Amino acid sequence: MNIILLGPPGAGKGTQATRLVDSRGMVQLSTGDMLRAAVKAGTPVGLQAKALMESGSLVPDEVVSGIIGEALDALAADTGVIFDGYPRTEAQAHSLDTILADRGRTLDHVIELEVDEDALVERITGRFTCATCGEGYHDVFKQPKVEGTCDKCGGHEFKRRPDDNEETVRTRMAEYRAKTAPILPIYEARGIVSRVDGMADMNDVSGAIVAILDGVPA
Ligand code: AP5
């Protein structure tokens, strides 16, 4: 099964993708994570992406579609994939069609997380992750059970993303509205779009997504 999780910055795409990885053995392909790894490693892609990401602008379509194709080539053909943060433009949506068709894959679901944008700024500016295993936390909504210790791996170091400040978040949201939201009709025309209330409790959001994947009527 191949699915897209769609929604503005902070909608919960990464949170829900991680849960599907744990519960269903799917693989999360997050272009944001892949680009951050490239920036950290100082690769040519990373050097190209760094300033754009820090400003909240999108990285060129051919760059992200290239890394998605490479990532899929590294997976077994029957591995289920969650696309998190990709596609983000009409051009990327068309590239994804080609990338999937070339590899004998089809797109099963596009799940849109519907959210209140004003609440997202609080979500994003309060977000932090374990520096060791990447487990996500939030200052208010999801603190480690023991302060300063990761629930998942026991690590003690945490980090925050450089683009998680209010000004950059506003730019990222504007990019979403202008370039990403308009791709939904492409998938609506195929009848594969489902919507989930992304403002609900994280566990309820997970339950709604699993019900969609399992074909359980709402
Ligand atoms: P990317 O890394 O994709 O960031 P994003 O889309 O802005 O999404 P986020 O990771 O901020 O949010 P999320 O929806 O995953 O939310 P999360 O689960 O963490 O992209 C970063 C940059 O890379 C872009 O700006 C661009 O420059 C570049 N880029 C990436 N892909 C690209 C592409 N395809 N094309 C071009 N450029 C690209 O949740 C947020 C917080 O809220 C967490 O703390 C979480 O604990 C909390 N939370 C989650 N769900 C809930 C809930 N239901 N209730 C309460 N709190 C919740």
Side-chain angles (χ1 to χ4, degrees), residues 90-146:
E90 219 170 288
Q92 291 179 27
H94 294 309
S95 293
L96 180 60
D97 285 342
T98 308
I99 288 169
L100 291 174
D102 286 350
R103 290 158 181 81
R105 289 176 178 266
T106 50
L107 194 56
D108 300 285
H109 296 281
V110 175
I111 300 175
E112 184 193 12
L113 298 175
E114 292 185 303
V115 282
D116 165 8
E117 277 199 15
D118 289 333
L120 296 187
V121 176
E122 185 191 7
R123 270 199 195 177
I124 293 178
T125 52
R127 168 172 63 180
F128 61 99
T129 53
C130 171
T132 308
C133 72
E135 180 71 357
Y137 294 97
H138 191 277
D139 292 330
V140 178
F141 307 122
K142 188 191 164 197
Q143 295 166 336
K145 291 189 182 89
V146 177

Side-chain angles (χ1 to χ4, degrees), residues 4 6-8 58 87-94 110 112 117 172-190 193 195:
I4 294 173
L6 201 70
L58 294 185
R88 255 176 155 99
T89 64
E90 219 170 288
Q92 291 179 27
H94 294 309
V110 175
E112 184 193 12
E117 277 199 15
R172 284 157 59 194
M173 284 178 179
E175 289 280 69
Y176 181 83
R177 277 193 301 271
K179 297 173 185 164
T180 308
I183 71 176
L184 266 165
I186 297 174
Y187 299 116
E188 272 164 351
R190 298 181 197 172
V193 175
R195 292 188 166 82

Side-chain angles (χ1 to χ4, degrees), residues 16-191:
Q16 297 302 329
T18 307
R19 290 177 173 214
L20 290 174
V21 168
D22 291 342
S23 65
R24 301 175 83 97
M26 297 176 80
V27 168
Q28 172 190 14
L29 294 187
S30 157
T31 40
D33 287 350
M34 291 189 263
L35 290 168
R36 277 184 288 280
V39 170
K40 195 173 172 195
T43 66
V45 164
L47 293 175
Q48 196 178 355
K50 188 170 187 290
L52 291 166
M53 293 178 78
E54 280 171 4
S55 70
S57 306
L58 294 185
V59 173
D61 292 331
E62 60 279 12
V63 173
V64 283
S65 292
I67 60 176
I68 282 288
E70 282 172 22
L72 278 177
D73 286 338
L75 297 177
D78 60 351
T79 305
V81 171
I82 309 148
F83 295 100
D84 162 10
Y86 179 90
R88 255 176 155 99
T89 64
E90 219 170 288
Q92 291 179 27
H94 294 309
S95 293
L96 180 60
D97 285 342
T98 308
I99 288 169
L100 291 174
D102 286 350
R103 290 158 181 81
R105 289 176 178 266
T106 50
L107 194 56
D108 300 285
H109 296 281
V110 175
I111 300 175
E112 184 193 12
L113 298 175
E114 292 185 303
V115 282
D116 165 8
E117 277 199 15
D118 289 333
L120 296 187
V121 176
E122 185 191 7
R123 270 199 195 177
I124 293 178
T125 52
R127 168 172 63 180
F128 61 99
T129 53
C130 171
T132 308
C133 72
E135 180 71 357
Y137 294 97
H138 191 277
D139 292 330
V140 178
F141 307 122
K142 188 191 164 197
Q143 295 166 336
K145 291 189 182 89
V146 177
E147 196 185 337
T149 303
C150 175
D151 298 345
K152 199 168 179 181
C153 76
H156 296 297
E157 273 188 50
F158 296 88
K159 60 182 182 180
R160 290 177 192 263
R161 278 171 42 178
D163 61 343
D164 277 353
N165 58 76
E166 184 162 350
E167 190 190 341
T168 307
V169 170
R170 299 272 179 211
T171 306
R172 284 157 59 194
M173 284 178 179
E175 289 280 69
Y176 181 83
R177 277 193 301 271
K179 297 173 185 164
T180 308
I183 71 176
L184 266 165
I186 297 174
Y187 299 116
E188 272 164 351
R190 298 181 197 172

